[in-house]
Amino acid sequence: MATPVEYLPPPLDATAQQPAIFDGTIRLYLAYPCPYAQRVWIARNCKGLQDKIKLVPLNLQNRPAWYKEKVYPENKVPSLEHNGKVIGESLDLIKYVDSNFEGPSLLPDDADKKEYFETLLSHMDEFLGLVYATFKGDSTKDADAAFDHLETALAKYDGPFLLGNEFTLADIAFIPFVERFQIYLSEVFNYDLTAGRPKVAAWIEAADKIDAYKQTKKSDPKEIVEIYKRIFSAQK
């Protein structure tokens, strides 16, 4: 059964009034275009917590001063307000949401798969670094290596997802970035990251059928291209 479409509130900017804080409401502070925040948003949706965890989107280009002063001094997204405290860091938060709220578990019971999940996370910085190296230059050699690694990772278990037949925290950790990389590499480098990688292609296709993920795909492709161009043109 399809998940009901959720109303998404408009982002709050520097003129927005501060919401009540630590009033018992559980709040996920995020920015719709941010892949790190999208991880936690997907986990929340997969757990069926749309009515339990309130989305508070921010405009990162013109963010409210009260967010840093009163909510999260690191002034980044995502952050989660829960039980009288605010915690951050997306990979920690997807585990926190899975462990501390009701709903289906987003990790299998299998110990080997849990260990493999941690191994995948340990390679996350390397994976992102290879793709960003391509964004900074003119060659796709590093991107080739990154997506070849992903193709190999997807071959470990039967099923379209990283840990087998179920969409888990492992997929949630990677898919927001691959979603954006696919758009940018195609537009700027004329590069198809699924070419010659049938498992990556099947993984993306399977993920796109998950309602909890689909409802978080709100970034305009043109905006993604402009964001990455702005970031990486300054580094060339």
Side-chain angles (χ1 to χ4, degrees):
M1 190 171 81
T3 307
V5 176
E6 179 181 15
Y7 165 74
L8 298 179
L12 303 179
D13 64 15
T15 66
Q17 185 175 357
Q18 177 186 320
I21 298 173
F22 305 133
D23 62 350
T25 302
I26 305 168
R27 297 180 176 88
L28 172 59
Y29 296 89
L30 76 167
Y32 294 136
C34 173
Y36 296 95
Q38 189 183 3
R39 284 171 166 166
V40 193
W41 187 7
I42 297 168
R44 165 214 189 240
N45 289 2
C46 285
K47 300 283 283 186
L49 298 169
Q50 288 89 335
D51 293 331
K52 185 110 176 175
I53 300 178
K54 180 181 179 181
L55 298 180
V56 183
L58 304 178
N59 179 341
L60 295 187
Q61 278 64 54
N62 187 25
R63 70 192 77 185
W66 51 256
Y67 181 64
K68 179 179 181 179
E69 294 165 2
K70 302 290 181 62
V71 179
Y72 193 48
E74 286 80 355
N75 204 24
K76 302 185 296 183
V77 293
S79 70
L80 184 74
E81 177 187 336
H82 182 228
N83 284 345
K85 61 184 178 181
V86 176
I87 53 179
E89 298 303 328
S90 63
L91 293 178
D92 293 335
L93 280 175
I94 60 174
K95 296 177 186 179
Y96 182 89
V97 168
D98 191 34
S99 300
N100 288 274
F101 294 92
E102 69 273 11
S105 175
L106 301 180
L107 276 180
D109 292 331
D110 184 285
D112 288 340
K113 289 186 176 182
K114 285 183 177 178
E115 183 179 354
Y116 189 55
F117 165 62
E118 295 296 340
T119 299
L120 289 169
L121 294 192
S122 73
H123 291 292
M124 177 64 69
D125 287 345
E126 178 188 4
F127 174 77
L128 297 179
L130 285 168
V131 181
Y132 292 151
T134 289
F135 288 6
K136 294 174 188 176
D138 301 311
S139 167
T140 60
K141 175 173 61 72
D142 289 318
D144 281 336
F147 296 113
D148 286 347
H149 288 323
L150 182 58
E151 180 76 6
T152 300
L154 283 160
K156 184 170 177 66
Y157 295 108
D158 290 334
F161 299 114
L162 281 162
L163 300 183
N165 288 315
E166 299 297 323
F167 186 73
T168 69
L169 293 184
D171 307 291
I172 290 170
F174 280 87
I175 197 69
F177 292 89
V178 175
E179 171 192 326
R180 288 159 177 77
F181 295 164
Q182 187 173 31
I183 291 167
Y184 190 76
L185 287 166
S186 175
E187 177 71 23
V188 176
F189 290 86
N190 194 29
Y191 178 93
D192 178 3
L193 62 84
T194 66
R197 301 184 184 100
K199 292 190 179 299
V200 173
W203 176 64
I204 293 171
E205 183 180 353
D208 281 339
K209 294 175 182 174
I210 304 288
D211 281 339
Y213 165 55
K214 277 197 301 187
Q215 293 187 7
T216 69
K217 294 180 69 174
K218 298 300 178 186
S219 295
D220 178 353
K222 290 182 180 178
E223 182 181 13
I224 289 171
V225 170
E226 287 308 311
I227 288 171
Y228 281 140
K229 278 186 174 178
R230 187 167 66 243
I231 292 171
F232 290 103
S233 64
Q235 298 182 20
K236 286 187 177 183

